[in-house]
Amino acid sequence: MNDMALVLHNVETYYGKIHALRGVSLEVPRGKIVTLLGSNGAGKTTTLQTISGLIQASSGKIEFYGRDIAKEKAHNIVGMGLIHVPEGRRIFKDLTVKENLELGGFTLKVEALRRKRIEHVFEIFPRLKDRQKQSGGTLSGGEQQMLAIGRAMMTEPKLLLLDEPSMGLAPLIVQDIMRIIKRLNSEGTTILLVEQNAKIALKLADYGYVLETGQLVMEGDSAELRRDERITKAYLGE
């Protein structure tokens, strides 16, 4: 059995003529949380979009449980169990909470299984259960983030890509979201996390990578990175 859920080998990605990712290589072990740190414009979102097939790598390999998915279409990648929760939530604001979740489980052919998954989401996010008939656009920012994660959970992903889940949220709500991410991981979901709050990300993750202008410049165990003077000065405000 492959212990690596995801492996990138020398991935290069372009936006038109802009060289966005430059030889990125990283590993996400099965059952772990790995975080990708970096300033705005470093290429973190591009990395996630390249993994999930929203942008195609110009070269390199992206192995998901041993299978190279670098040339796969995004919908095929979703079908393999790799789910991307993008920055900015991207829920369907005109649909109800329950309808958003049902769309997240559209690949499930058995209605009873879809209902069971929705109940599991409601058990993790009681607020969503209370608001299941409300349209997504009436939810607070934190509730919309919960709905985006809940929608992703409907497929029981093997690997969850989370892009800036705490962005724009109040500190108490951020704590809720991070507790939920930890719980999902404890239930068996492997996670690659891009997070603006490096302090929180490094407390949550097992391992971290640092990206600067499309290149990885540092990596290590989260505890090791928290102690590194370059990290504390650049990302932890110390």
Side-chain angles (χ1 to χ4, degrees):
M1 185 178 286
N2 191 344
D3 284 335
M4 288 297 161
L6 180 73
V7 182
L8 273 60
H9 301 274
N10 295 316
V11 170
E12 306 269 339
T13 300
Y14 285 82
Y15 273 133
K17 292 183 178 180
I18 298 171
H19 198 173
L21 296 184
R22 303 166 179 266
V24 170
S25 297
L26 59 80
E27 296 180 340
V28 181
R30 177 196 300 265
K32 300 294 185 181
I33 300 177
V34 172
T35 190
L36 186 58
L37 305 176
S39 57
N40 288 339
K44 304 184 302 297
T45 291
T46 301
T47 301
L48 297 193
Q49 291 177 334
T50 303
I51 293 166
S52 64
L54 296 175
I55 302 172
Q56 196 160 86
S58 57
S59 64
K61 290 175 72 176
I62 302 170
E63 293 185 353
F64 181 53
Y65 287 94
R67 175 176 176 178
D68 189 2
I69 60 170
K71 303 301 180 187
E72 289 282 355
K73 300 292 185 187
H75 64 272
N76 291 334
I77 292 171
V78 168
M80 295 173 200
L82 193 160
I83 307 296
H84 183 179
V85 180
E87 181 183 351
R89 271 78 89 175
R90 312 279 182 92
I91 61 164
F92 298 103
K93 294 188 177 181
D94 293 333
L95 299 182
T96 67
V97 166
K98 191 173 182 184
E99 287 167 342
N100 268 273
L101 295 177
E102 287 171 342
L103 275 176
F106 79 97
T107 58
L108 302 173
K109 305 302 181 191
V110 181
E111 176 62 26
L113 181 56
R114 192 180 296 117
R115 286 199 304 268
K116 183 180 177 184
R117 296 270 176 86
I118 288 175
E119 284 307 313
H120 183 55
V121 172
F122 286 161
E123 189 255 318
I124 292 175
F125 300 104
R127 288 191 208 189
L128 296 184
K129 185 172 186 177
D130 294 341
R131 291 159 175 72
Q132 60 183 292
K133 293 180 181 178
Q134 285 184 222
S135 62
T138 66
L139 302 179
S140 69
E143 289 162 351
Q144 288 186 16
Q145 186 63 67
M146 292 173 188
L147 181 55
I149 295 172
R151 186 177 60 188
M153 287 168 53
M154 287 294 294
T155 59
E156 286 195 345
K158 295 177 183 173
L159 174 63
L160 196 55
L161 307 181
L162 293 175
D163 195 355
E164 303 285 13
S166 80
M167 182 174 281
L169 302 182
L172 283 175
I173 303 299
V174 171
Q175 289 177 22
D176 284 345
I177 295 293
M178 294 305 156
R179 273 196 298 269
I180 287 155
I181 291 170
K182 195 72 175 174
R183 173 173 173 175
L184 295 179
N185 178 245
S186 71
E187 291 179 355
T189 305
T190 304
I191 295 170
L192 177 57
L193 172 68
V194 163
E195 175 51 56
Q196 59 173 346
N197 189 324
K199 188 172 289 188
I200 284 177
L202 289 172
K203 282 183 181 175
L204 202 61
D206 301 288
Y207 199 85
Y209 292 89
V210 180
L211 195 63
E212 288 181 5
T213 57
Q215 292 179 295
L216 290 174
V217 295
M218 201 184 306
E219 66 177 274
D221 290 333
S222 291
E224 175 187 320
L225 291 178
R226 284 201 304 270
R227 291 191 299 267
D228 191 292
E229 191 175 296
R230 292 164 294 176
I231 296 292
T232 57
K233 284 184 177 176
Y235 302 109
L236 302 182
E238 295 173 11

